[in-house]
Amino acid sequence: MDKILNNVLSDLESLQLNKALKTLRTYLEEHPEMRNDGGIDDVERDYRLMLDYMGRGYADDNREHLYRGLLERTYRFMMNLYVSYKIRTSQLFAEASRSASAHDFGQDEVKRTLEGFVTDFALLSLETESVKKEKTTQLYKVHDAYLSALFCHLLVSRQWNISDREFYSELMLSPTIDVNDIQLIVSALTLSNLSFFDIHKFSALVHVYLTSTHERVRQRALVGWVLSMGREGELFPAYRQCVHDVCQDEKVSREIADMQKQMIFCKKAEEDKDRIQQDILPTLMNNNNLFVSRSGIITEKEEDGMEDILNPDADDRKMEEMEESFNQMVNMQKAGSDIYFGGFSQMKRFPFFYSVSNWFCPFYLEHSGIVSVVDRMRGSDFLKNVLEHGPFCDSDKYSFILAMASVIEKLPANLREMLGNADALGPVASEAERHDGTYIRRMYLQGLYRFFRLYTYRVDMKDPFGTPHYLFATSPAFEHTAVENHFADLCMFMRKQKDNKAFGLLVKRFDNQENPKSMLMGGIYYLDVAHDQDRAVGCLGRLLELEPDNERALSLLARAHFERGDFEEALENYRSLYGKHPENKHYALPYGVALSSTGHYEEAVTLFYKLSYENPTSVNVMRGLAWALMGGRKLQQAEAEYARLLAAGKNNTGDYLNAGYCQWLLGNTGKAIDMFRKFKELVGTESIAGKLIEDEFANDAEWLHTHGISRVDIQLMSDLLENPS
């Protein structure tokens, strides 16, 4: 069915309605058991009527609009058919359908039930404490079960009509509905739209994002509509117009760009987990003073008095090591890393997480899934601490409560007391930060990431963190919107995160010959990542046409010319840069090499002597000076420089090759052979013996010829190195 879906989507995208209808009709004839509400019959009838009118020569100014309407109706029929297919073949959707079937989810009933919960909860304030507690528990038990079923109903719901969109839009903005319920509804629509895109659900999420006064609702809605953007939406003109209108707002575009960065940090959670487990936790564990018995009882280790005598500074060093490791995690979290994924990924096996809705449920202590363990922990500041200060996502808070309930009584008294301190949970967010949209969105995305990595039936849905879905910023729908203002920043972010694939996709998406930032990002990508110097030269050359005084562009262009072997062009670029900044060795050094490479040896020698005086231990300066001296036929001075370079002990294999050239030009054939053999020895077994040195001789043949080494000399030297006897 997935193949049928893709084929029909492709047909609809290319406006081939008749082909799409034939594909669907063939599938239904082969699978008569699949649900068919007759929608395809209506589309086929209207399509034949359109063909008949056109065939008779009737003019119809509304024909294109009607045709696109038929495309949309065909898409809606196909997606409803796909929902039926998934319910038949996927355990996740089958269980969701069964759960939803036990309740009435008519619009009036949904509104009455959700509003009734708020009213009933308010009335509990009139009860005595004992009655209030009992009724509260029962009220949440019934309500949580209903919400779980509603979540499942929305997850497998068919394509909405306008009435559905308006009803749920109003419901999610209603002040008479509990905000936790609204957040769960938003998440259900998000999961549904990820699997079965619906333009009306998409529009509802956008509307809620723009209109809601609750920041937690807004951020969930933002994540929902952005992650559900894809090729399906392109079939609906309203989709493009909706995104275009929303993203003209700079605040919206900035939130989208920030969300894209947060997605990258989520994707790196497992990489960060490995770093924490391998580099940070061992230090923290080795330096703590706790012992965990086989039965799970945690006690403090007794202090070793002899250790204080023999190693009096040990405690201070341990403390410094622990602080350093702890600060590493603090800095990772501040940068946006998900430092808790590794620990909490092991705490998602509780029955609580068998219910798909619980992965997205906002954290509250009255939830029927944790009420029994919460009762055992009443009176401890730990619960309040987790709820108010816990720097982790909602599903991790539930995990923490469920896990700690089984061990808290086994903890030493001082450790239990410590858990009542906000700092015990690690780096915590300030009150202001916890109400900030960026923080709220990061926590929600981390919860979403856990679901798509750890939930048993996650494979039944499209993973928004998988390739290529996670890079939503490249969506064509963002063209000509304020989101494009952030492309350069996103490119540099991807480069810093070493996500070269994302960097390249952004560069290609942001390819605009009239935009200086686009040309700069293209130049950097093609020069440093793709190693396509030709493309880099094109981008950077165009950038300099747009901004002739852009020094960074000139520097990058000089590098591109240099790496491409265009030394004359590189020389002119570096001459200009060095003339403006003679003190900058990053310009001076390649300028000197460019001088040598173009035969300006005297100028190169003068420059390198100056650099040598200023940087006497720089092997790169030694290397450049030695080559310039040798090229200028000052062989004795070159020999001395190569001797100094090799004695420095920081040389590379090429230094032995070039030192061999110097000895060869001096007529010291034996010493030259020794240098060449050392070069081959260092190269190792990368190629057949003698072959690589022959390649080097071939590459440098023109230079060698101009310095008196003939082709015959080169061949004889190659033979000597291959056959030392």
Side-chain angles (χ1 to χ4, degrees):
M1 181 61 183
D2 290 303
K3 184 178 179 181
I4 298 294
L5 173 67
N6 287 326
N7 289 342
V8 171
L9 272 177
S10 297
D11 293 339
L12 295 178
E13 287 170 340
S14 57
L15 306 183
Q16 298 185 69
L17 175 61
N18 190 41
K19 187 176 179 182
L21 290 172
K22 286 182 178 179
T23 300
L24 284 171
R25 178 59 70 185
T26 300
Y27 178 80
L28 289 173
E29 289 173 353
E30 294 174 353
H31 301 84
E33 75 283 1
M34 293 300 296
R35 177 179 180 273
N36 183 2
D37 58 9
I40 192 173
D41 299 327
D42 296 336
V43 175
E44 288 175 329
R45 183 189 65 248
D46 291 346
Y47 177 59
R48 287 193 298 269
L49 190 61
M50 179 180 287
L51 289 176
D52 182 58
Y53 270 76
M54 184 174 179
R56 296 184 183 188
Y58 289 105
D60 188 351
D61 295 337
N62 204 33
R63 180 176 294 140
E64 183 168 346
H65 174 73
L66 293 173
Y67 187 79
R68 290 192 176 276
L70 292 176
L71 294 174
E72 292 182 17
R73 288 165 59 189
T74 304
Y75 170 83
R76 292 167 61 80
F77 174 83
M78 178 194 67
M79 292 310 296
N80 286 338
L81 186 65
Y82 190 56
V83 172
S84 299
Y85 167 78
K86 295 294 281 187
I87 289 174
R88 283 176 170 269
T89 59
S90 160
Q91 189 163 345
L92 165 63
F93 292 107
E95 290 183 359
S97 180
R98 283 195 294 271
S99 176
S101 64
H103 295 267
D104 176 9
F105 292 113
Q107 293 180 3
D108 292 339
E109 179 63 18
V110 170
K111 189 172 187 293
R112 184 193 66 78
T113 302
L114 296 183
E115 289 181 339
F117 168 75
V118 175
T119 302
D120 292 343
F121 186 79
L123 291 175
L124 289 177
S125 62
L126 304 176
E127 303 286 354
T128 62
E129 283 301 316
S130 59
V131 173
K132 179 180 178 181
K133 179 180 178 182
E134 181 181 350
K135 287 190 174 182
T136 297
T137 300
Q138 183 60 28
L139 181 63
Y140 271 99
K141 182 178 180 180
V142 173
H143 187 64
D144 289 340
Y146 182 82
L147 276 179
S148 179
L150 176 60
F151 188 99
C152 291
H153 164 73
L154 293 172
L155 176 60
V156 296
S157 59
R158 269 63 177 180
Q159 295 282 294
W160 277 1
N161 54 36
I162 294 176
S163 173
D164 294 324
R165 183 188 70 199
E166 292 178 348
F167 168 74
Y168 277 100
S169 294
E170 292 177 4
L171 191 73
M172 290 184 285
L173 296 171
S174 173
T176 60
I177 305 297
D178 188 278
V179 68
N180 288 334
D181 296 355
I182 295 173
Q183 290 179 70
L184 203 57
I185 290 172
V186 171
S187 292
L189 295 179
T190 297
L191 284 194
S192 178
N193 239 24
L194 282 171
S195 298
F196 321 107
F197 180 83
D198 183 335
I199 187 62
H200 291 306
K201 291 171 188 169
F202 177 84
S203 300
L205 289 171
V206 173
H207 180 65
V208 170
Y209 165 66
L210 294 175
T211 312
S212 178
T213 58
H214 295 287
E215 193 61 32
R216 294 183 181 277
V217 173
R218 284 190 68 256
Q219 294 303 327
R220 287 200 182 206
L222 171 65
V223 171
W225 71 261
V226 170
L227 293 187
S228 62
M229 292 174 65
R231 60 183 293 207
E232 298 92 342
E234 297 293 338
L235 293 171
F236 301 90
Y239 165 83
R240 274 288 185 114
Q241 190 61 50
C242 176
V243 175
H244 182 271
D245 292 344
V246 171
C247 294
Q248 295 308 318
D249 188 314
E250 177 55 31
K251 180 183 177 182
V252 173
S253 66
R254 185 168 59 253
E255 286 196 313
I256 291 172
D258 288 343
M259 178 180 158
Q260 179 65 85
K261 295 177 183 178
Q262 290 173 330
M263 287 285 287
I264 301 301
F265 281 121
C266 285
K267 281 177 59 62
K268 293 183 65 179
E270 297 189 51
E271 178 183 324
D272 291 336
K273 176 196 73 174
D274 293 340
R275 178 185 171 190
I276 291 171
Q277 291 181 343
Q278 296 169 13
D279 301 335
I280 298 176
L281 283 184
T283 300
L284 294 175
M285 295 302 294
N286 291 337
N287 292 330
N288 70 43
N289 198 38
L290 298 176
F291 173 76
V292 183
S293 70
R294 292 179 62 186
S295 61
I297 302 297
I298 302 175
T299 58
E300 290 188 271
K301 299 175 185 176
E302 293 185 7
E303 295 185 2
D304 187 348
M306 289 299 296
E307 182 68 13
D308 292 338
I309 298 172
L310 299 175
N311 197 357
D313 298 328
D315 286 344
D316 290 339
R317 286 199 302 273
K318 286 181 179 179
M319 184 59 68
E320 289 176 1
E321 290 175 357
M322 289 182 68
E323 287 180 358
E324 182 180 350
S325 297
F326 187 75
N327 286 335
Q328 285 186 52
M329 288 201 294
V330 171
N331 293 333
M332 288 173 67
Q333 187 184 41
K334 285 181 178 178
S337 296
D338 183 358
I339 65 173
Y340 295 109
F341 175 75
F344 285 107
S345 64
Q346 307 302 314
M347 300 184 192
K348 294 295 190 287
R349 298 185 178 92
F350 297 104
F352 179 87
F353 293 106
Y354 293 170
S355 172
V356 62
S357 63
N358 283 344
W359 287 82
F360 303 94
C361 189
F363 181 76
Y364 52 94
L365 293 174
E366 298 81 8
H367 193 293
S368 57
I370 62 170
V371 67
S372 61
V373 298
V374 166
D375 284 342
R376 300 205 305 268
M377 301 171 69
R378 292 288 184 188
S380 168
D381 289 336
F382 174 69
L383 292 178
K384 181 180 178 182
N385 196 11
V386 171
L387 182 60
E388 295 184 357
H389 302 288
F392 26 74
C393 66
D394 289 318
S395 71
D396 283 357
K397 290 180 181 180
Y398 284 115
S399 295
F400 205 3
I401 292 293
L402 292 167
M404 290 303 298
S406 62
V407 301
I408 195 166
E409 294 178 355
K410 301 176 183 178
L411 296 176
N414 61 340
L415 189 54
R416 286 201 301 272
E417 182 180 352
M418 182 188 72
L419 286 173
N421 187 327
D423 294 336
L425 296 173
V428 297
S430 65
E431 182 71 18
E433 185 179 1
R434 290 198 299 275
H435 290 87
D436 179 69
T438 301
Y439 177 84
I440 292 170
R441 186 173 59 251
R442 180 167 71 245
M443 293 298 101
Y444 181 59
L445 283 170
Q446 288 180 5
L448 195 65
Y449 181 80
R450 281 149 179 67
F451 174 78
F452 279 100
R453 287 295 171 272
L454 304 172
Y455 183 58
T456 304
Y457 305 118
R458 62 192 180 277
V459 295
D460 291 336
M461 286 179 283
K462 183 177 75 174
D463 179 7
F465 297 94
T467 304
H469 310 299
Y470 77 95
L471 198 62
F472 54 77
T474 58
S475 170
F478 289 134
E479 287 179 359
H480 310 303
T481 71
V483 175
E484 291 191 329
N485 298 337
H486 300 274
F487 268 112
D489 177 54
L490 286 174
C491 285
M492 295 310 295
F493 173 81
M494 298 303 175
R495 185 188 183 210
K496 184 177 180 181
Q497 295 300 317
K498 297 181 173 58
D499 192 336
N500 291 334
K501 183 171 184 179
F503 185 17
L505 290 172
L506 283 166
V507 163
K508 291 164 186 173
R509 165 69 183 80
F510 190 44
D511 185 11
N512 183 346
Q513 294 281 321
E514 303 304 317
N515 189 305
K517 287 184 179 179
S518 173
M519 293 298 96
L520 176 60
M521 292 302 106
I524 293 173
Y525 172 74
Y526 291 116
L527 182 59
D528 291 338
V529 178
H531 304 295
D532 185 341
Q533 286 79 12
D534 291 343
R535 295 286 296 274
V537 166
C539 289
L540 296 166
R542 175 56 183 160
L543 174 54
L544 284 170
E545 291 177 5
L546 297 170
E547 298 181 349
D549 297 327
N550 191 320
E551 192 171 293
R552 187 183 185 192
L554 183 61
S555 174
L556 291 169
L557 181 62
R559 266 189 55 209
H561 280 309
F562 194 95
E563 292 180 13
R564 195 167 65 161
D566 299 334
F567 297 115
E568 292 290 351
E569 289 85 352
L571 176 61
E572 292 307 310
N573 298 150
Y574 281 122
R575 192 190 300 279
S576 176
L577 292 165
Y578 180 72
K580 295 177 182 178
H581 305 282
E583 77 290 347
N584 190 329
K585 66 179 181 180
H586 296 295
Y587 294 155
L589 194 59
Y591 176 45
V593 175
L595 285 168
S596 293
S597 299
T598 53
H600 298 81
Y601 295 112
E602 288 190 15
E603 287 184 69
V605 167
T606 301
L607 176 59
F608 279 119
Y609 270 132
K610 177 178 179 294
L611 291 174
S612 181
Y613 176 78
E614 296 169 348
N615 307 275
T617 61
S618 170
V619 293
N620 285 327
V621 172
M622 295 180 199
R623 193 170 287 126
L625 177 57
W627 183 267
L629 287 167
M630 182 170 60
R633 301 181 187 276
K634 297 178 180 180
L635 299 178
Q636 281 75 24
Q637 292 103 309
E639 181 183 26
E641 286 300 320
Y642 276 119
R644 191 161 73 97
L645 176 61
L646 296 177
K650 298 179 181 179
N651 47 285
N652 58 35
T653 55
D655 294 331
Y656 284 98
L657 178 69
N658 294 337
Y661 286 161
C662 185
Q663 295 298 335
W664 201 357
L665 297 181
L666 281 166
N668 300 328
T669 306
K671 290 183 179 180
I673 290 173
D674 290 340
M675 291 294 177
F676 292 147
R677 285 177 177 163
K678 182 65 175 177
F679 169 77
K680 288 179 60 176
E681 177 187 331
L682 291 174
V683 169
T685 59
E686 293 181 10
S687 66
I688 300 172
K691 178 63 176 174
L692 197 138
I693 195 84
E694 290 177 2
D695 293 339
E696 296 294 343
F697 288 166
N699 292 336
D700 297 327
E702 184 177 350
W703 185 89
L704 289 170
H705 296 162
T706 62
H707 287 76
I709 304 296
S710 69
R711 297 183 186 278
V712 172
D713 292 335
I714 293 174
Q715 184 59 54
L716 290 173
M717 180 62 77
S718 298
D719 294 342
L720 276 171
L721 293 171
E722 186 175 354
N723 302 293
S725 59

